[in-house]
Amino acid sequence: RFSYGASDVACQLLFCWVMWYVPYFYTDISKINPAHVGAILLIARWVDAVDAPVWGIIFDRTRSRWGKSRPWFLWLCGPFALFGVLTFLAPGLGYKAKVIYSAATYIGCNVLYTGINTPITSILSALTADPRERVTLTTFRMVGSKLGVLIVNLTGLGLVQLLGRGDDRKGFMLAVPMFAAVSLVLFLTT
């Protein structure tokens, strides 16, 4: 139960950064025009409308000794952590290259999130046939999700300020990898 709940703590320790703090990071730190940031976020949602069904097809066709869902925790946790960190780097690029880089890393992180989060949901039927236990496991997972969000929102920006010492760019570059590392360990535990 705790292992299954840890999967959503892992997801949110990284994805909460991406969903809540990317607009601030892109506009205030990377200095990207808000209209371009909005376009990046919109395009990511369009990509997500396509990638979710594609992931579903991939998972349905997966055949391994570990089942259909479990291998994806192992195979995608590293790339998900990497793209989460890359999303919060602000390389010294020209404006157009910076927008392209930001779009590529943000969209990549979103695609990988769908790829790692979907099998967490789909594995539930393989874990138990008991409907009451499924409800219990889902409850642990949802509590884990809220716990991950709470941890990021209570500590994230404070760590950015502490580690960056007034330089938010540096603070994000130091804080997000810490959360990504914990996320990676929790996924591997799951």
Side-chain angles (χ1 to χ4, degrees):
R1 289 175 177 174
F2 283 108
S3 177
Y4 192 59
S7 67
D8 254 58
V9 175
C11 280
Q12 295 308 322
L13 282 181
L14 193 52
F15 200 63
C16 186
W17 283 97
V18 173
M19 293 310 296
W20 293 59
Y21 299 113
V22 153
Y24 165 72
F25 183 81
Y26 285 172
T27 57
D28 290 30
I29 296 167
S30 290
K31 305 296 185 199
I32 298 174
N33 181 308
H36 294 140
V37 172
I40 292 169
L41 301 179
L42 179 61
I43 292 167
R45 297 293 63 83
W46 288 341
V47 170
D48 200 39
V50 174
D51 79 67
V54 170
W55 278 119
I57 292 167
I58 292 169
F59 300 143
D60 280 345
R61 294 183 179 174
T62 299
R63 304 281 184 259
S64 78
R65 63 181 181 174
W66 302 288
K68 290 182 176 193
S69 301
R70 194 170 283 124
W72 294 100
F73 302 160
L74 178 63
W75 297 338
L76 293 179
C77 64
F80 177 60
L82 176 64
F83 268 80
V85 170
L86 291 175
T87 299
F88 288 94
L89 292 182
L93 303 171
Y95 185 80
K96 188 175 183 179
K98 188 176 2 179
V99 171
I100 292 168
Y101 172 86
S102 297
T105 56
Y106 179 77
I107 291 168
C109 190
N110 277 270
V111 168
L112 290 165
Y113 174 77
T114 302
I116 203 164
N117 198 41
T118 303
I120 292 168
T121 303
S122 68
I123 200 171
L124 186 58
S125 62
L127 294 177
T128 181
D130 180 4
R132 292 175 67 174
E133 183 61 22
R134 286 183 184 177
V135 169
T136 301
L137 286 170
T138 300
T139 302
F140 271 77
R141 181 175 171 215
M142 292 301 103
V143 168
S145 174
K146 302 312 173 222
L147 179 62
V149 170
L150 186 65
I151 290 168
V152 172
N153 286 328
L154 286 177
T155 65
L157 289 181
L159 273 173
V160 167
Q161 292 172 352
L162 178 71
L163 297 172
R165 298 182 183 184
D167 181 355
D168 281 355
R169 179 176 183 245
K170 179 181 175 186
F172 273 100
M173 288 174 38
L174 294 172
V176 174
M178 294 168 58
F179 284 80
V182 173
S183 176
L184 186 64
V185 168
L186 288 173
F187 274 126
L188 293 173
T189 301
T190 299

